[in-house]
Amino acid sequence: MSLTNEQVVEFAKKNPISVGCGVLIVALLATAYFRADLPGEAETELEQKSSEAARLAANLKNAAHLKEHFDAVSAAQKQIESRLIQPKQLTTNSQYFYKLESETGVKLLDQGQTALTAAQRKDIKGNYLPTVFTLSVQGDYSQVLTFLRRLENGSHYCRVLTAQCSNSSAERGGQLTLALNLELLGFP
Amino acid sequence: MLSLLKKKSEANVPLVPAWHPNFRNFERLPDTKVVRTAFFINVFAITVTLVLLLYVVRKEWDLHTVRVQIADKEQQINRDKPGSDQAVALFKQFQGEEAKVAEVDAFVKSKTAVSTLLIHLGETLPKNIAIDRFDLGKDGLALSATVRGAPDQASGQATAYIEQLRADKELAPLFDDITPTSSGRNPQNGRIMIQLFLRFKGVVGKDGKK
C-alpha cells in the first residue's frame, strides 16, 4: 500500500505538532551534522591566533629596553671600529710600532706586515680581519716588558701568536731581544 | 496514522457472537481513551525536538564564543604587530652588532697575554734561577734557565722549580703538562742548565697525550 500526496497532506493536517517536530528534528540533525567540524576548526584557529598574539605581546615586552641596549652596543661598536687598523695602510700601521718604540725606548730591529692572499681573505668568515705582523725589538727587561704591555693593551686590538725572548749578550742584566709574531685586528 | 492503526487493531478483536448485528463503524468512531495516543506521540516529539534544539543552540553558542575570542585575538594581533615587527628588526640589528663585539672579545681572549705571563714568571722565579730564553709557540712555552750554585744543590733547586711551576695556580688554567726536556752543565761556566716545556691545555703532545 503506497501513500499518495493527498494522504500525506491529510496526515500532516491531522498531526501538525508531531509532523512539525519531525521536520524540525531532521533540520536540526542536518545542521548538527554539517556544522560538526566548525567548533574544532574554530578551536584550532583560536589556538593559532592566541599563540601568535602571545608571541607578539612577548616581543613587545622583551623589547622594552631594546633601544637602550642597541644604542649601547652601537656606541661600543663605534669605539671598537676606532681601534681597528686598515690593513692596506702600511705606513700608518708601521707608524704605530715606531711610536711605541719612541715611547718605550726599545730599539725596533725589524718590522713587517704579512699581506693576506686573496684565497686567505676569502676563508676569513668574521666581520674583521686579523693582520699578521712580525716584530723584533731590543732593550733592557723593563723596556721590553713595557713595549709588550703597551702593545697588548694599546689602542689597537692585538694578540701575540708567538714570542721569543732571549739575552742578546752573555752578561746578566744586559739587552734582551724580543721577536714577536702578532695579529692586529682590522677592517676586512 | 498510529491512531488509525490502533482503531484497526481494536476492530480486529474477535467479538463474542452478537445477539444482534453490530452496525458500529470503527473507522469513524473517535478515540475514547482517557489520554489519547496522539498526546504521547506529540509529547515525545516535542521533547526530542527541544533536546536537539538545546544541543544545537549550545553548540552554536560555543562556536560564537570562540569566534568572539578569535576576533579579540585578531584585534590584539593587529594592534601589536607593527610594534613587534619594529622590535624584531631592531633585535636583528642588535644581534649583528653584538656578534661584532663578541668577535672582538673572542679575538682578544683567544691568546694568553704574553706580558702577564712574563711578569708572573719573573715574580715567581726562585733566587738562584735565571731564565735565559722564553719561547712561546703554538703548542706551548719553552723555557731555558740557568741554576746558580753547586751542581748537587742546583739540580734540587731545578726540580723544586719544576714542582713549583706545576703547583702554580696562575699557570694551571693555561698549561696541562710541564716537563723538563733537557738538563746539563754549561761548559763555559759550569752551571746547571735546564730546559722546560709547558704544554698548552688542549694541545696533543708528541706522546699522543692531550
Side-chain angles (χ1 to χ4, degrees):
Chain A
M1 180 182 140
S2 61
L3 287 170
T4 60
N5 286 342
E6 288 78 23
Q7 283 175 315
V8 171
V9 171
E10 193 183 343
F11 177 74
K13 280 180 181 173
K14 274 187 180 177
N15 304 282
I17 294 173
S18 53
V19 170
C21 286
V23 171
L24 206 55
I25 285 168
V26 171
L28 287 170
L29 283 174
T31 306
Y33 176 76
F34 288 113
R35 293 173 70 83
D37 292 341
L38 293 181
E41 288 169 7
E43 285 289 343
T44 310
E45 192 182 350
L46 179 62
E47 273 176 31
Q48 286 172 350
K49 298 279 180 190
S50 296
S51 63
E52 173 76 1
R55 189 179 64 81
L56 296 179
N59 282 351
L60 287 181
K61 190 183 167 191
N62 294 334
H65 300 289
L66 186 60
K67 185 76 177 79
E68 289 91 329
H69 293 166
F70 177 72
D71 290 342
V73 172
S74 294
Q77 178 58 25
K78 278 179 188 162
Q79 277 190 335
I80 285 170
E81 290 190 353
S82 71
R83 294 179 64 180
L84 298 176
I85 63 159
Q86 291 283 359
K88 288 178 182 172
Q89 294 178 351
L90 300 178
T91 50
T92 311
N93 298 338
S94 301
Q95 196 183 10
Y96 175 64
F97 298 112
Y98 291 128
K99 198 179 166 195
L100 281 178
E101 180 192 26
S102 66
E103 285 172 1
T104 58
V106 294
K107 187 181 174 188
L108 194 59
L109 302 176
D110 185 31
Q111 181 263 314
Q113 178 177 338
T114 309
L116 288 179
T117 61
Q120 283 172 320
R121 269 177 187 276
K122 227 177 181 181
D123 287 343
I124 293 168
K125 287 174 183 172
N127 296 296
Y128 304 118
L129 181 71
T131 306
V132 180
F133 291 88
T134 51
L135 292 179
S136 181
V137 296
Q138 197 175 53
D140 61 31
Y141 178 72
S142 172
Q143 288 172 331
V144 167
L145 203 58
T146 308
F147 177 82
L148 194 56
R149 292 191 78 173
R150 293 284 297 274
L151 199 60
E152 287 186 318
N153 304 299
S155 57
H156 295 309
Y157 294 106
C158 169
R159 68 177 173 195
V160 176
L161 302 176
T162 62
Q164 287 94 38
C165 185
S166 58
N167 267 332
S168 305
S169 58
E171 62 183 77
R172 295 274 163 216
Q175 296 283 293
L176 295 176
T177 301
L178 176 69
L180 294 173
N181 191 7
L182 58 92
E183 284 179 336
L184 294 183
L185 201 61
F187 287 103
Chain B
M1 180 69 100
L2 284 170
S3 64
L4 287 174
L5 290 171
K6 189 87 179 170
K7 284 175 188 171
K8 272 196 171 180
S9 66
E10 283 174 359
N12 291 337
V13 173
L15 298 169
V16 180
W19 60 272
H20 60 80
N22 186 358
F23 294 106
R24 284 179 293 184
N25 186 352
F26 291 101
E27 296 285 333
R28 299 189 64 181
L29 283 173
D31 189 356
T32 54
K33 281 180 277 184
V34 177
V35 182
R36 294 172 69 183
T37 310
F39 174 77
F40 290 110
I41 292 166
N42 287 344
V43 166
F44 177 75
I46 288 167
T47 307
V48 171
T49 308
L50 282 177
V51 168
L52 205 57
L53 190 66
L54 280 174
Y55 172 78
V56 171
V57 167
R58 175 67 196 267
K59 284 278 175 192
E60 287 300 316
W61 176 253
D62 288 347
L63 187 62
H64 171 72
T65 309
V66 171
R67 283 187 173 155
V68 168
Q69 287 175 333
I70 289 171
D72 186 42
K73 293 292 174 192
E74 270 177 355
Q75 200 179 1
Q76 199 178 329
I77 288 167
N78 292 337
R79 187 193 63 207
D80 291 348
K81 197 165 182 11
S84 171
D85 288 348
Q86 277 183 345
V88 169
L90 190 62
F91 183 65
K92 278 182 183 168
Q93 284 181 309
F94 175 81
Q95 278 182 315
E97 297 290 299
E98 192 191 25
K100 289 178 183 176
V101 175
E103 191 180 331
V104 173
D105 187 54
F107 174 84
V108 173
K109 289 180 179 168
S110 62
K111 295 281 180 187
T112 311
V114 182
S115 56
T116 311
L117 188 60
L118 258 177
I119 290 169
H120 181 71
L121 287 174
E123 284 174 348
T124 57
L125 197 65
K127 200 176 166 184
N128 290 327
I129 297 179
I131 293 174
D132 299 319
R133 188 174 171 79
F134 172 97
D135 191 345
L136 187 77
K138 279 183 184 173
D139 298 338
L141 171 65
L143 288 177
S144 299
T146 302
V147 189
R148 190 168 58 186
D152 56 334
Q153 288 178 344
S155 298
Q157 286 177 354
T159 309
Y161 183 52
I162 293 167
E163 289 308 316
Q164 179 196 315
L165 289 176
R166 282 178 180 154
D168 194 312
K169 285 181 181 170
E170 297 244 343
L171 298 179
L174 300 175
F175 306 104
D176 62 358
D177 188 30
I178 298 172
T179 49
T181 49
S182 78
S183 173
R185 191 175 280 187
N186 187 336
Q188 290 175 340
N189 54 24
R191 286 178 178 164
I192 296 293
M193 288 178 67
I194 54 165
Q195 287 188 337
L196 309 174
F197 187 72
L198 294 79
R199 195 174 66 203
F200 281 134
K201 276 201 166 167
V203 174
V204 180
K206 287 177 186 171
D207 53 358
K209 277 198 288 186
K210 198 175 180 182

